[in-house]
Amino acid sequence: MANKRALSWSAALRDLKDDRSRRADVREERLKTAAGLRGSPATTLSAWRGRSGRRYVVGVHELAEPELNEVGEAVVLAVRRDPAGIGELVAVAAAGQSPRERLHGNWIARARHRGATEMHVHRLAETEAERSAIVADLDAEPSAANQA
């Protein structure tokens, strides 16, 4: 007599949905395709998963004001790493072309004070509205502290 277990697809899909809802926090997800490219700073890539489940690919840079001045229109994330190398989002803001939309040096100072050592830059948002939506999606606790 063979033991056959009937798979309940509805139960499996419910479990999958429950697992996704538990993981709805903002987190970094290393890109598997970038794993072998670590030798070149030009190819340092990562990704962040927002509360909505959307993934944002970012370039990883040193947290430095000259780097920040070269960003242009983008979403900028200040990141610190724990001893295990896991990235934690410290601050997120949108940067634009006009001086009003530029990030200020005090944004870097506040991020450094909170332990940030890296700047992750997402450049694929084309409009100010898209950048604002991404900031809202990645900002676990929306506050004035994360604004430029």
Side-chain angles (χ1 to χ4, degrees):
M1 185 167 156
N3 255 347
K4 289 189 179 183
R5 182 173 179 232
L7 178 63
S8 168
W9 285 105
S10 61
L13 289 174
R14 183 185 64 241
D15 291 345
L16 181 61
K17 182 179 177 185
D18 288 344
D19 182 51
R20 284 184 185 156
S21 66
R22 276 185 249 129
R23 299 182 335 154
D25 56 335
V26 174
R27 66 192 177 280
E28 182 181 25
E29 296 179 344
R30 299 283 180 115
L31 295 176
K32 293 176 185 173
T33 57
L37 305 174
R38 294 191 192 272
S40 171
T43 58
T44 305
L45 298 173
S46 189
W48 283 85
R49 183 79 58 180
R51 288 180 292 149
S52 68
R54 291 190 62 194
R55 187 173 79 164
Y56 307 99
V57 175
V58 296
V60 179
H61 307 273
E62 180 182 343
L63 185 63
E65 194 161 348
E67 294 269 354
L68 187 60
N69 291 334
E70 299 296 322
V71 167
E73 295 178 340
V75 176
V76 182
L77 296 78
V79 177
R80 69 176 164 223
R81 295 217 175 266
D82 68 11
I86 297 171
E88 180 184 348
L89 188 59
V90 170
V92 59
Q97 289 293 3
S98 75
R100 180 184 64 80
E101 296 176 315
R102 300 294 268 151
L103 292 177
H104 303 289
N106 61 355
W107 185 84
I108 287 182
R110 287 192 314 264
R112 274 203 186 109
H113 180 68
R114 295 178 64 193
T117 57
E118 297 176 0
M119 178 173 65
H120 294 198
V121 182
H122 176 73
R123 291 184 169 93
L124 300 177
E126 294 180 3
T127 66
E128 184 178 342
E130 285 180 65
R131 290 187 294 277
S132 295
I134 293 169
V135 167
D137 191 24
L138 291 173
D139 195 359
E141 295 179 26
S143 69
N146 285 342
Q147 300 306 312

